[in-house]
Amino acid sequence: MPRRSADTPRRPAAEPPVTDLSDLPPVSWARRIAAVRPFLALSAALALWVYAVRHTDVSRLDDFGLVTALHPAFWAGLAVLTTGFWFTVRGGRRGDAWPAAYVLGLLVMERATQAVLYPTPLYAWAWKHDAVVGHLLTAGRLQGADRLGDMAVYDQWPGFFAAQAALVRLLGVEDAAMYMAWWPLASSVLLLLPLLLIYRTFTEDRRLIWTAVWLFCVADWVGQDYFSPQSVAFALHLGVLAVVLRRYARTGGHPARQGQALWTVLITVMVAAIVVSHQLTPAMLVVSLVALAFTRRHRDWTPSATAVVVFLAWCLTAALPFLSAAMPELIRAVGDIGGNVEAGYGTTPTGTGALVTSWAARLLSAAVLLLALAGAVRQRVLRHRAWPLLLLAAAPLPMFAAGSYGSEMIFRVLMFMLPGAAFFAAAALLPRVPTLATAATAATAATAGTAAATAAPPTSPPRGARLAAWAPLAVLLAGTLAFVPSYSGKDRVSYFPPREVALVRQLFDEAPDGSLVVAANRNYPLALEAYWRTDHYWFLDDDRRHVDEILRDPAGVLARDMAAVEPPARAYFLLTQGQMAHSEMNGPLDASELRRVRDAVAASPRFEPVAENDAGVLYVLKPASREGER
């Protein structure tokens, strides 16, 4: 056996194994439970959501839309999600992972519920935009007013539709309808990055940042997240504002110039994408950028000048045909502020459900705006630091004087105000909101006071303070629950069952070129399918005297209106479930009057049936009737 050398170090003796567990430090079960609490609440909320959508029947919606159809587990899941988010974001845990997970969970419950529940995409305008994408795929090029009439406006702002046509080809799907039901979720997730960049410009307080994002998501009920140019243009709008607020602000009294050329190129690309895709968003962006340029902190006219030049260049070239024809009407609309609040003929909600959901949306928006005002008044330091956000919240207000934008200007203004309003509304719900300028001071003060706080005996807050601590959660919960009727309360109008889609698809599959489709209104799927080769007439859009004339003699007057169609084209009468729901909830005719029109057409020898199911009827005017009416 070899001897150990004198220079060889002696190995230490192995430590004896631990046999007495009492020597180990105690396990903090409270800490472990606190660590998994966010996961438990989020998992429970999503589990309740899954259970709810599996047990919700949307085959028969009433005037409250999805509100009364949802299984009660959905509301419980939304309450658990909101409560879990509030305690997670208010806790001492650092990091953004859990707040981000809760916000994504909120978007899934808000925006993915309809995609899961309904077998077909919602909203007639989404189907209309799908038809525009289909036209670009069919024609392979843009066409003017001489070929497309009123629909030529989409070919003069083709950015969104051209991108979607490319995406359809890339994915190898038949049309955009294959994925547009999920577009609200995708477009809402797309807003998160620019929102976070904007809010992080003014504070590092994660409570404020994520509460503001949450409030933005629950107050954004306007519905412009559907498959539309506005959804992408709004995300690009926020992206431009994020770059300007972060990279064009003056530091130390001097404008920042590092990398300015690169950021200007990025802004130009985003502005160009907005300008070629949507009519209103560029105007909103110009107003916001000009307002920022007048402030001392952002007195750099490069972004606003870039937006103005690109906007005018497009308006004076590609969009000039449409603007030339529409300019007299646009000029007359300037200053007509009352047009944004007056309910015109055929647009007044009727019925308990429509009125309740409309008021829920109004109260939700009013509550967020009032909270924003309270937050701006209460948080003086934050008000000074985040003054540009207050300005951006107010900048869209002058657009009320630009016209009603088809009675939608008030909704668009609310949407563009929301990023700034949500930030200050969140500040109203939080006790103290440090800014970037005060964070270091607060941290120093907290460190200095640690010893004194440790030595002082703990005291219980008064009962009024404890109640006040729960009040913000109650407000947040009420707003989150109010989103559902505001956003989904009109699903009876927006949802088209598969049999209605099949009926309309049959119509356009067999209609010869040059045919005429007569319907009560345009609220049905595929309403403008093949608009480049067929004509449409929605008789409830006509003046009241002609509508009354149709009611007196439905078959005779409609046959006369349809008689000008020349063979081989045909004239079709279409009445569907979606049209009746829209007219019943928004006017001007109720369901019994429309049924009387339908029954008169069915009984008339001038018409012959083409197809019928429980979602609608389709008739065609007989050729002999066309000859007889001339």
Side-chain angles (χ1 to χ4, degrees), residues 444-467:
T444 303
T447 303
T450 300
T454 304
T459 57
S460 299
R463 183 177 181 182
R466 292 198 301 268
L467 292 176

Side-chain angles (χ1 to χ4, degrees), residues 576-587:
T576 64
Q577 174 180 314
Q579 297 174 52
M580 297 187 69
H582 185 278
S583 184
E584 187 175 2
M585 292 187 67
N586 297 296

Side-chain angles (χ1 to χ4, degrees), residues 291-312:
L292 281 178
F294 276 107
T295 64
R296 183 173 59 181
R297 194 180 307 174
H298 292 83
R299 193 169 294 166
D300 190 330
W301 288 89
T302 303
S304 53
T306 301
V308 170
V309 169
V310 176
F311 187 26
L312 289 179

Side-chain angles (χ1 to χ4, degrees), residues 111-200:
R111 266 77 180 185
T113 299
Q114 293 168 315
V116 174
L117 286 177
Y118 297 120
T120 59
L122 294 178
Y123 204 33
W125 284 88
W127 290 90
K128 177 181 180 181
H129 294 155
D130 176 47
V132 178
V133 175
H135 165 251
L136 289 181
L137 289 170
T138 301
R141 60 185 177 85
L142 305 179
Q143 294 176 298
D146 57 331
R147 289 293 308 276
L148 302 180
D150 293 340
M151 292 295 290
V153 64
Y154 293 104
D155 276 24
Q156 293 171 27
W157 277 273
F160 172 81
F161 304 107
Q164 293 303 319
L167 182 60
V168 168
R169 291 193 184 277
L170 179 65
L171 296 176
V173 295
E174 183 178 352
D175 50 34
M178 302 297 292
Y179 59 81
M180 69 184 185
W182 293 93
W183 195 261
L185 176 62
S187 62
S188 297
V189 172
L190 193 64
L191 298 178
L192 294 182
L193 178 59
L195 274 178
L196 290 172
L197 291 175
I198 290 173
Y199 294 156
R200 289 183 188 280

Side-chain angles (χ1 to χ4, degrees), residues 65 156 264 329 371 496 593:
Q156 293 171 27
T264 301
E329 182 63 30
L371 279 175
F496 310 113
E593 292 171 315

Side-chain angles (χ1 to χ4, degrees), residues 59-141:
S59 60
R60 294 188 180 276
L61 297 175
D62 60 17
D63 288 352
F64 290 89
L66 195 58
V67 178
T68 51
L70 282 168
H71 190 276
F74 178 89
W75 302 99
L78 205 55
V80 171
L81 185 78
T82 307
T83 306
F85 166 80
W86 179 249
F87 284 107
T88 298
V89 82
R90 285 289 305 271
R93 190 178 294 102
R94 296 183 179 274
D96 297 317
W98 281 120
Y102 271 94
V103 169
L104 290 175
L106 173 69
L107 291 178
V108 167
M109 295 186 70
E110 284 185 343
R111 266 77 180 185
T113 299
Q114 293 168 315
V116 174
L117 286 177
Y118 297 120
T120 59
L122 294 178
Y123 204 33
W125 284 88
W127 290 90
K128 177 181 180 181
H129 294 155
D130 176 47
V132 178
V133 175
H135 165 251
L136 289 181
L137 289 170
T138 301
R141 60 185 177 85

